[in-house]
C-alpha cells in the first residue's frame, strides 16, 4: 500500500514537471525563428521528363529596402561529400527577391540543388542562409 502511494506521488510530480517544462519552453524568449531577414529561402531539383532536370533557387526578404543576392549550385553527392558540378553555378539579385533556374541533362548519380542567399541593407550584410533540395537519384 505504501509503495502504491509513493508511486502515485512520483507520477504526479513527474506530470507536473512535464507541464511546467512545456510552458517554460513555450514562453522562452530565447527561441528564434529560422530567419530574421528572410521570409523564405528555397532550392529545388526535379525531373521535368526526357532526362532533363530543372534546378531552381530563390530567396525573399520581407522588406522593400533590402537587396537579396543568391548563388544557386548543382552539387553531385559522392559518399558524404558534395561537389559543385562544373558549369552549374548561377547567380541572381534583386530588391526584395532573387530567383534563378536552369535545365540540364545529368549523368547517373545523386544530386541536390543548393541555394546560398545573402540579404543586404545598403552595403551592410544582414544575414546569410542556405537551402538544399531533396536528393535526386539519376539513373
Amino acid at each position: 500500500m505504501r509503495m502504491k502511494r509513493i508511486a502515485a506521488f512520483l507520477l504526479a510530480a513527474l506530470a507536473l514537471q512535464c507541464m511546467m517544462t512545456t510552458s517554460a519552453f513555450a514562453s522562452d524568449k530565447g527561441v528564434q525563428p529560422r530567419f530574421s531577414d528572410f521570409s523564405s529561402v528555397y532550392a529545388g531539383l526535379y525531373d521535368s521528363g526526357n532526362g532533363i532536370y530543372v534546378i531552381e533557387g530563390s530567396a525573399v526578404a520581407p522588406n522593400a529596402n533590402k537587396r537579396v543576392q543568391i548563388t544557386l549550385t548543382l552539387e553531385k553527392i559522392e559518399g558524404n561529400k558534395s561537389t559543385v558540378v562544373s558549369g552549374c553555378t548561377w547567380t541572381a539579385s534583386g530588391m526584395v527577391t532573387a530567383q534563378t533556374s536552369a535545365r540540364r541533362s545529368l549523368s547517373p548519380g545523386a544530386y541536390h540543388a543548393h541555394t546560398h542567399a545573402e540579404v543586404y541593407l545598403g552595403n551592410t550584410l544582414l544575414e546569410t542562409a542556405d537551402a538544399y533540395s531533396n536528393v535526386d537519384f539519376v539513373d
Side-chain angles (χ1 to χ4, degrees):
M1 179 92 159
R2 184 174 176 167
M3 290 298 281
K4 288 181 181 179
R5 285 185 183 176
I6 292 173
F9 174 76
L10 289 175
L11 284 173
L14 182 61
L16 276 173
Q17 182 180 6
C18 289
M19 287 189 296
M20 291 161 78
T21 303
T22 303
S23 63
F25 279 91
S27 65
D28 185 7
K29 294 189 184 338
V31 176
Q32 297 295 316
R34 181 169 179 202
F35 306 120
S36 59
D37 290 296
F38 288 108
S39 55
S40 70
V41 179
Y42 166 75
L45 173 65
Y46 62 90
D47 186 354
S48 67
N50 297 324
I52 303 297
Y53 286 79
V54 175
I55 306 105
E56 56 190 9
S58 65
V60 179
N63 185 315
N65 296 321
K66 295 179 180 173
R67 180 173 50 89
V68 177
Q69 183 172 320
I70 65 169
T71 301
L72 173 65
T73 56
L74 176 66
E75 299 177 356
K76 188 168 187 177
I77 302 166
E78 295 173 309
N80 61 356
K81 183 178 154 191
S82 296
T83 56
V84 176
V85 176
S86 179
C88 292
T89 300
W90 305 273
T91 59
S93 65
M95 296 305 286
V96 181
T97 186
Q99 60 187 24
T100 188
S101 66
R103 295 174 181 267
R104 292 290 186 271
S105 175
L106 303 177
S107 60
Y111 297 87
H112 67 210
H114 172 204
T115 299
H116 175 75
E118 300 174 340
V119 64
Y120 294 85
L121 182 59
N123 291 326
T124 304
L125 175 63
L126 300 175
E127 184 176 11
T128 63
D130 292 278
Y132 295 86
S133 70
N134 290 331
V135 174
D136 205 330
F137 297 93
V138 177
D139 296 329

